[in-house]
Amino acid sequence: MFEVIEDDVKEYDLLHPCCRKEMYEFFYHNEENHSNCLDNINTNMREERPIIHPLNVFMNTQINSDGSISVEKPLSRAGDRLVLKVLMNVRIGISACSVSESKCNGEKCTAIKVIVEDS
Ligand SMILES: [Zn+2]
């Protein structure tokens, strides 16, 4: 589907589904309607998928020697880039993850910049 043209970080996660409202309630006891990637993508793509398995770009997930999985502080820095060449027709949903309660996004959420070019 894609060809990687440039990749500054080379760290991704394919294990975790999109964050969702229930995750914030369970792990962080945030009972408010916390913004989340599942709702962001479903809303903007006009879909109602119950679960989405994304490519979590720059997410630093570690598999530990005891078999546990931990999410660590990102290795990415401001300005790091992932450049992909799309090789077929695709429909892509993108969400800047709103987890500020853990190491996932370095405990603070920042904007992402997405550029789509037609060649
Ligand atoms: Zn998220």
Side-chain angles (χ1 to χ4, degrees):
M1 295 175 72
F2 303 95
E3 177 182 342
V4 177
I5 303 297
E6 184 178 333
D7 183 352
D8 291 338
V9 180
K10 299 177 181 62
E11 190 68 41
Y12 305 92
D13 170 85
L14 291 169
L15 297 174
H16 290 90
C18 281
C19 67
R20 59 189 307 141
K21 184 172 79 77
E22 294 85 351
M23 180 197 86
Y24 292 93
E25 294 169 358
F26 183 82
F27 288 113
Y28 309 118
H29 309 289
N30 181 339
E31 301 299 325
E32 298 174 20
N33 195 18
H34 199 292
S35 62
N36 61 84
C37 292
L38 181 69
D39 289 344
N40 290 344
I41 292 173
N42 271 331
T43 299
N44 289 293
M45 296 187 80
R46 295 181 177 86
E47 295 188 3
E48 294 182 16
R49 295 179 185 214
I51 190 167
I52 296 174
H53 293 281
L55 167 63
N56 292 306
V57 175
F58 300 159
M59 184 171 174
N60 185 10
T61 300
Q62 298 298 309
I63 300 173
N64 304 304
S65 58
D66 65 357
S68 65
I69 297 172
S70 61
V71 177
E72 302 298 330
K73 186 177 174 184
L75 303 174
S76 58
R77 295 178 302 193
D80 282 340
R81 298 169 16 127
L82 170 65
V83 179
L84 300 173
K85 179 179 180 181
V86 180
L87 302 176
M88 59 190 297
N89 288 335
V90 295
R91 189 167 178 242
I92 301 171
I94 299 173
S95 177
C97 188
S98 53
V99 174
S100 60
E101 294 87 347
S102 74
K103 296 183 208 174
C104 181
N105 290 319
E107 299 176 353
K108 73 174 185 184
C109 297
T110 57
I112 62 172
K113 183 176 185 178
V114 178
I115 300 171
V116 178
E117 296 178 347
D118 187 13
S119 58

